[in-house]
Amino acid sequence: LCGFFFSRLIFGTLYPAYYSYKAVKSKDIKEYVKWMMYWIIFALFTTAETFTDIFLCWFPFYYELKIAFVAWLLSPYTKGSSLLYRKFVHPTLSSKEKEIDDCLIQAKDRSYDALVHFGKRGLNVAATAAVMAASK
């Protein structure tokens, strides 16, 4: 388990982050696209593993399979992240983009309204507490 976390940190995050930096520094568009596809797939992988870890951590070689998967994503020979992105993620997001954008706009609006509402309530509670303290 500890080996998985160390491997994931090094190979899943730090190695790609450094090469993403190099792509930005060199302004190589092909490298930009390659690393953006990797980060999108890695974000989805990280999200999925939050749930799969709960149910599959008992599975033999589960963590070793996850390490192999990250290596497959990174490999310039298999181009795993590019393959997954082009075959599954891009078509899915393209077909659902309007719905996702609408959902995000609604969530943003609701969160702003909730923030204003709770902010007003908080100010009312603080004002009431100040008046009560001043009157005592």
Side-chain angles (χ1 to χ4, degrees), residues 5-19:
F5 291 116
F6 183 71
S7 297
R8 180 174 172 227
L9 176 66
I10 298 296
F11 298 111
T13 307
L14 294 176
Y15 173 85
Y18 180 72
Y19 277 94

Side-chain angles (χ1 to χ4, degrees), residues 17-30:
Y18 180 72
Y19 277 94
S20 297
Y21 155 78
K22 295 202 42 111
V24 169
K25 185 178 174 190
S26 71
K27 298 180 174 121
D28 182 347
I29 299 301
K30 279 181 81 173

Side-chain angles (χ1 to χ4, degrees), residues 8-128:
R8 180 174 172 227
L9 176 66
I10 298 296
F11 298 111
T13 307
L14 294 176
Y15 173 85
Y18 180 72
Y19 277 94
S20 297
Y21 155 78
K22 295 202 42 111
V24 169
K25 185 178 174 190
S26 71
K27 298 180 174 121
D28 182 347
I29 299 301
K30 279 181 81 173
E31 287 295 304
Y32 270 45
V33 171
K34 171 185 155 185
W35 288 111
M36 284 303 296
M37 284 189 277
Y38 170 80
W39 287 114
I40 292 166
I41 296 298
F42 191 74
L44 293 171
F45 166 70
T46 303
T47 302
E49 84 176 328
T50 301
F51 301 103
T52 59
D53 282 356
I54 295 167
F55 301 108
L56 298 177
C57 63
W58 58 269
F59 192 76
F61 302 110
Y62 175 68
Y63 292 101
E64 290 82 357
L65 289 170
K66 286 173 40 171
I67 291 169
F69 180 72
V70 170
W72 178 77
L73 289 177
L74 283 171
S75 173
Y77 302 108
T78 61
K79 297 181 181 174
S81 58
S82 176
L83 177 75
L84 289 177
Y85 179 83
R86 292 172 199 259
K87 278 262 194 205
F88 302 106
V89 175
H90 182 76
T92 302
L93 290 178
S94 292
S95 69
K96 305 284 186 201
E97 189 169 0
K98 176 76 172 113
E99 293 90 350
I100 294 169
D101 287 343
D102 291 344
C103 205
L104 289 173
I105 289 168
Q106 287 178 359
K108 180 180 163 187
D109 292 344
R110 287 181 185 158
S111 66
Y112 177 76
D113 292 343
L115 182 66
V116 168
H117 174 72
F118 288 118
K120 285 180 182 177
R121 283 181 75 183
L123 288 174
N124 287 339
V125 168
T128 304

